[in-house]
Amino acid sequence: MNTAIFDEKLFFKSKLITKRNFLILGLGGALGACSQYLPEGRTSPTMLSREIIMAKINATRIANGVDPLAYNPVLARAAQNQARLMAEKGELSHELGGTLRERVTAVGYQGAVGENLAGGQDTLEDAIRGWLESRPHRNTLLNPKFTEFGLSVAQGNGEYEIYWAMIFGGSFEAWQQSI
């Protein structure tokens, strides 16, 4: 049986890496791992519940140093309308059914809003991963000015077959304070 043993003295004497650089690399890796948090699991659309959605979204935000979001059924209705429309049309678009402002106003939401869409991801975790890997979507998902959200998924036609819509909300005052 071969057993590899790490010999610290030999490793650092070989001048391949100094102790200082070794520590810096280790710290960098540890910090990188924190900012690369991805929720675990394989939650398909048929397995989704409000509790699972909240747990996955809020674990992602908390791991990235952002407060959790509250679930808002009005925003969820707007997200459901958008996901359903995208699935029916077979198109991934922020403009189907009108602008985001028009769509949330139609269901009775009056606060500041943002939206993340995804298409083709088989699981909630894959949709979150896609949003985290895209800077604009990551910025929306992790924006501390948003305090609530609604999320929905629909299966349908077109290239993607599965369409995700997540709509974020918050007060206009939070956005005005940074101007």
Side-chain angles (χ1 to χ4, degrees):
M1 175 158 112
N2 283 338
T3 304
I5 299 173
F6 178 72
D7 185 338
E8 182 180 342
K9 289 179 184 175
L10 181 62
F11 182 75
F12 290 115
K13 277 185 182 180
S14 69
K15 305 275 187 203
L16 292 174
I17 190 167
T18 66
K19 282 187 179 184
R20 180 177 179 206
N21 288 343
F22 181 76
L23 291 173
I24 290 170
L25 287 171
L27 181 60
L31 290 174
C34 291
S35 65
Q36 295 300 317
Y37 170 83
L38 296 172
E40 294 182 6
R42 303 283 308 153
T43 310
S44 70
T46 58
M47 299 167 59
L48 289 177
S49 68
R50 180 186 298 192
E51 293 76 22
I52 290 172
I53 292 168
M54 288 189 65
K56 300 288 181 170
I57 295 299
N58 285 330
T60 301
R61 285 177 58 95
I62 290 166
N64 284 279
V66 185
D67 288 340
L69 297 170
Y71 186 84
N72 182 305
V74 175
L75 291 174
R77 189 167 48 253
Q80 182 180 40
N81 292 344
Q82 185 65 10
R84 189 177 297 143
L85 185 58
M86 291 188 303
E88 287 171 5
K89 301 281 185 183
E91 183 180 339
L92 184 67
S93 171
H94 289 279
E95 301 302 320
L96 283 176
T99 66
L100 175 58
R101 170 54 45 208
E102 291 168 342
R103 291 184 278 119
V104 298
T105 300
V107 296
Y109 190 81
Q110 299 301 317
V113 290
E115 177 177 63
N116 279 353
L117 303 177
Q121 294 81 0
D122 292 329
T123 67
L124 175 59
E125 294 82 5
D126 289 342
I128 293 170
R129 181 176 296 109
W131 291 328
L132 288 172
E133 291 173 352
S134 161
R135 185 175 303 275
H137 294 96
R138 179 185 184 88
N139 290 346
T140 303
L141 177 62
L142 302 179
N143 193 314
K145 294 177 184 174
F146 290 127
T147 58
E148 53 191 355
F149 79 102
L151 183 142
S152 188
V153 60
Q155 296 183 343
N157 304 313
E159 175 184 354
Y160 299 108
E161 295 181 13
I162 299 176
Y163 297 84
W164 300 86
M166 183 172 185
I167 301 179
F168 303 83
S171 72
F172 284 114
E173 290 78 25
W175 294 90
Q176 293 168 346
Q177 292 173 2
S178 64
I179 295 175

